[in-house]
């Protein structure tokens, strides 16, 4: 019974740390497929090395003597994950290179190695006869897997949404240290000086974590959120989601748009529809709710519905950014890919795509199948505008435009000239409709804030042979990673 409990707890701790790694890394490198790949690969490498090393140690040293110390050391290393990530992650802005793999390996490889070495040691302690080898190994392997599953589900579905990441990690570290010390005293009483060292290390790791800077004002299941004042504009507020400067809100003037892409949104809408005319709009992604409030301020009678996946974003909008929801500005919490199915056919004049996970539009909001739903919701003559971020060679932006062009008769792109010259990354606003809009007027408006309008033959050249994005083929994260690294 005790052997099974030890294996269960240590295996659960490894997978809990793996889940929490995403939240710790997000403020510094964002959340993307690359982030999760780095974390999963690092932890799996640690599990493999730990299982091998634990077996070797168990054959050479009496597990009674080292088992408790190994578990306690795992707890100390768990305490250290938080300050390691925050120190190395914070160094990115100081010219020190820190990739997702660097952060993952530095913080989570050793805890995975140490805690994964526990199972073969416990197996060695439980083996008394060769005739029972299969049963012992199978039982403890099954318990280890069960612990990993419980740790994964409890952390992902319950703890992350209710408890700060550092608190969860402190509890994991504390449980492991206490369990390790108790086992050391019970199994091998003569290691008192070593126990004192372990206690000192645990205290130092815990204190280091407490002293490290907390990057999140609010930590949700999806984002690390914080709001910063604009030093140049007293009423200006900047919303950060993870490592991205996501939205700008002027508390005193909701008609003020600071980001160029938001101005391009406004230019496209004001060209497609007479100024001041109220519209029915659907917004994919909330962020700072800047554009819904701009429309409400400039088009009295405007009706907007925002599909936002994270309830914490709504809470921060209300508490920090002056958001007031009403019958004319509604917010529905949930994934936009699911939420758009609840929208009636031909019910919206305008759909605004401004949803991001780190720098990437979530892939399932980019595909042909999703755009079919956007088109279904739009009224004849309606307008779809989408904000994307991309880098040379703009593989994602080109493919997204190709996907839009397959569905809509009129497609255009607005962004800095450096984008269309393939020179520098930037936000690009994509525009799609079944009716052409006044190209001369839109070009004049976007030129005011230094952007260019590209459509027609120039857009065809920019798109080139880019593929259409589908639910079966949407390597959005990979395209962005390759482009930004080139």
């Amino acid at each position: 019974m005790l052997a099974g409990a030890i294996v269960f707890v240590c295996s659960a701790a490894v997978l809990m740390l793996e889940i929490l790694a995403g939240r710790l890394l997000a403020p510094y490198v964002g959340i993307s497929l690359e982030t999760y790949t780095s974390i999963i690969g690092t932890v799996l490498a640690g599990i493999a090395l730990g299982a091998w090393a634990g077996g070797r140690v168990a054959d050479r040293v009496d597990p009674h003597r080292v088992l408790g110390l190994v578990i306690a050391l795992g707890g100390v290393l768990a305490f250290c994950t938080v300050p390691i990530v925050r120190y190395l992650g914070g160094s990115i802005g100081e010219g020190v290179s820190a990739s997702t793999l660097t952060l993952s390996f530095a913080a989570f490889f050793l805890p995975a190695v140490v805690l994964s070495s526990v199972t073969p040691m416990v197996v060695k302690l439980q083996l008394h006869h060769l005739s029972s080898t299969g049963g012992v190994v199978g039982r403890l392997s099954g318990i280890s897997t069960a612990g990993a599953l419980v740790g994964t589900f409890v952390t992902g579905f319950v703890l992350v949404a209710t408890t700060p990441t550092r608190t969860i990690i402190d509890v994991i570290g504390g449980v492991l240290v206490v369990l390790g010390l108790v086992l050391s005293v019970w199994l091998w009483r003569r290691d008192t000086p070593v126990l004192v060292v372990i206690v000192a290390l645990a205290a130092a790791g815990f204190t280091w974590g407490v002293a490290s800077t907390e990057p999140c004002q609010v930590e949700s299941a999806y984002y690390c959120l914080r709001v910063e004042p604009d030093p140049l504009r007293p009423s200006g507020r900047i919303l950060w989601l993870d490592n991205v400067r996501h939205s700008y809100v002027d508390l005193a003037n909701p008609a003020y748009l600071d980001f160029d892409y938001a101005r391009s949104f406004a230019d496209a809408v004001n060209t497609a529809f007479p100024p001041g005319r109220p519209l029915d709009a659907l917004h994919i992604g909330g962020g700072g709710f800047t554009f819904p409030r701009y429309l409400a301020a400039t088009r009295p009678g405007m009706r907007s519905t925002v599909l936002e996946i994270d309830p914490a974003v709504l809470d921060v909008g209300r508490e920090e950014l002056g958001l007031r929801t009403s019958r004319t500005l509604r917010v529905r919490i949930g994934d936009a890919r699911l939420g758009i199915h609840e929208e009636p056919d031909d019910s919206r004049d305008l759909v605004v795509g401004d949803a991001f996970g780190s720098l990437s539009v979530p892939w399932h909001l980019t595909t042909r199948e999703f755009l079919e739903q956007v088109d279904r919701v739009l009224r004849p003559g309606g307008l779809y505008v989408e904000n994307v971020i991309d880098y040379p060679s703009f593989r994602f932006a080109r493919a997204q435009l190709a996907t839009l062009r397959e569905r809509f008769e009129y497609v255009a792109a607005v962004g800095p000239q450096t984008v269309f010259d393939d020179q520098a990354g930037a936000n690009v606003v994509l525009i799609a409709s079944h009716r052409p809009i006044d190209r001369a007027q839109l070009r004049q408006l976007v030129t005011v804030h230094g952007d260019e309008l590209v459509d027609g033959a120039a857009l065809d050249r920019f798109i080139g042979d880019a593929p259409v994005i589908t639910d079966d083929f949407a390597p959005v994260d990979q395209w962005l990673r390759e482009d930004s690294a080139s």
Side-chain angles (χ1 to χ4, degrees):
M1 181 69 73
L2 178 60
I6 293 170
V7 168
F8 185 95
V9 168
C10 291
S11 297
V14 173
L15 270 294
M16 292 174 78
L17 291 174
E18 180 178 359
I19 297 294
L20 296 170
R23 297 309 312 133
L24 283 179
L25 266 60
Y28 308 103
V29 296
I31 287 296
S32 65
L33 183 62
E34 181 179 357
T35 308
Y36 285 118
T37 300
S38 298
I39 293 167
I40 293 169
T42 294
V43 173
L44 284 176
I47 290 171
L49 180 59
W52 176 81
R56 298 272 292 183
V57 170
D59 286 341
R60 288 162 174 75
V61 181
D62 183 0
H64 289 89
R65 180 165 186 168
V66 298
L67 178 62
L69 299 178
V70 167
I71 295 172
L73 179 60
V76 172
L77 292 171
F79 283 137
C80 294
T81 57
V82 174
I84 287 173
V85 169
R86 290 181 181 168
Y87 175 77
L88 292 180
S91 72
I92 294 175
E94 300 168 9
V96 180
S97 175
S99 67
T100 55
L101 187 58
T102 301
L103 289 176
S104 300
F105 189 88
F108 297 98
F109 180 71
L110 284 180
V113 170
V114 171
L115 292 172
S116 298
S117 70
V118 169
T119 296
M121 294 183 187
V122 174
V123 168
K124 183 66 178 288
L125 288 174
Q126 290 287 290
L127 287 176
H128 303 295
H129 303 285
L130 290 177
S131 60
S132 62
T133 299
V136 170
V137 173
R139 175 173 60 84
L140 291 177
S141 295
I143 292 173
S144 174
T145 303
L149 288 171
V150 170
T152 298
F153 289 135
V154 169
T155 305
F157 289 138
V158 180
L159 295 179
V160 168
T162 60
T163 309
T165 299
R166 193 182 73 191
T167 301
I168 302 171
I169 289 179
D170 286 345
V171 171
I172 293 171
V175 168
L176 291 172
V177 168
V178 171
L179 175 61
L181 293 175
V182 170
L183 286 174
S184 293
V185 171
W186 180 47
L187 295 175
W188 197 262
R189 300 175 185 274
R190 290 177 290 177
D191 277 341
T192 301
V194 178
L195 300 183
V196 172
V197 172
I198 291 291
V199 170
L201 289 174
F206 176 80
T207 303
W208 189 22
V210 170
S212 60
T213 303
E214 172 59 61
C216 307
Q217 181 180 343
V218 175
E219 185 178 354
S220 74
Y222 297 94
Y223 300 110
C224 169
L225 302 91
R226 68 182 189 276
V227 175
E228 296 180 352
D230 181 356
L232 302 178
R233 194 178 183 93
S235 58
R237 298 293 183 271
I238 302 165
L239 173 67
W240 289 79
L241 299 184
D242 293 333
N243 64 329
V244 177
R245 186 175 179 261
H246 191 278
S247 303
Y248 188 102
V249 173
D250 189 313
L251 301 179
N253 181 13
Y256 175 78
L257 299 175
D258 187 79
F259 288 2
D260 278 350
Y261 84 83
R263 296 174 191 168
S264 295
F265 277 174
D267 293 339
V269 172
N270 292 330
T271 301
F273 305 102
R277 170 187 156 187
L279 305 172
D280 287 306
L282 179 68
H283 302 260
I284 309 299
F289 303 93
T290 305
F291 201 63
R293 286 188 280 184
Y294 164 84
L295 292 174
T298 58
R299 294 175 177 266
M302 184 79 200
R303 295 171 296 276
S304 288
T305 298
V306 182
L307 304 181
E308 169 57 50
I309 196 170
D310 191 350
V313 169
L314 175 58
D315 293 340
V316 169
R318 286 171 168 162
E319 296 168 9
E320 301 284 341
L321 301 176
L323 174 66
R324 298 291 181 267
T325 55
S326 65
R327 288 181 298 175
T328 57
L329 203 173
R330 302 176 183 269
V331 179
R332 295 212 320 262
I333 299 300
D335 192 298
R337 181 65 184 263
L338 303 177
I340 198 169
H341 288 280
E342 300 178 18
E343 294 294 315
D345 295 357
D346 301 326
S347 60
R348 301 289 177 175
D349 302 296
L350 172 68
V351 176
V352 179
D354 194 17
F356 283 85
S358 188
L359 296 176
S360 173
V361 180
W363 72 266
H364 65 305
L365 303 181
T366 68
T367 65
R368 168 197 289 157
E369 291 81 359
F370 178 71
L371 293 180
E372 288 173 357
Q373 292 300 314
V374 171
D375 191 18
R376 177 187 63 80
V377 168
L378 282 172
R379 291 171 177 146
L383 181 71
Y384 178 54
V385 293
E386 180 186 4
N387 176 32
V388 305
I389 298 173
D390 205 356
Y391 304 88
S393 56
F394 295 95
R395 295 182 66 189
F396 167 52
R398 296 174 196 266
Q400 185 72 112
L401 284 164
T403 310
L404 287 167
R405 189 174 57 181
E406 181 190 64
R407 189 75 193 177
F408 295 92
E409 282 79 9
Y410 179 79
V411 176
V414 174
Q417 186 59 51
T418 53
V419 170
F420 308 112
D421 291 340
D422 208 15
Q423 293 179 350
N427 290 79
V428 186
V429 170
L430 314 183
I431 301 166
S433 178
H434 286 296
R435 66 176 175 89
I437 60 178
D438 189 331
R439 298 164 59 183
Q441 180 184 350
L442 181 55
R443 180 171 284 109
Q444 182 180 12
L445 290 173
V446 302
T447 301
V448 171
H449 49 91
D451 279 346
E452 299 286 337
L453 170 68
V454 173
D455 63 356
L459 187 72
D460 292 340
R461 289 192 296 271
F462 180 71
I463 295 173
D465 60 354
V468 170
I469 306 173
T470 68
D471 281 354
D472 190 50
F473 181 72
V476 174
D477 288 304
Q478 292 92 330
W479 283 334
L480 283 177
R481 175 169 48 82
E482 291 171 5
D483 285 351
S484 62
S486 63

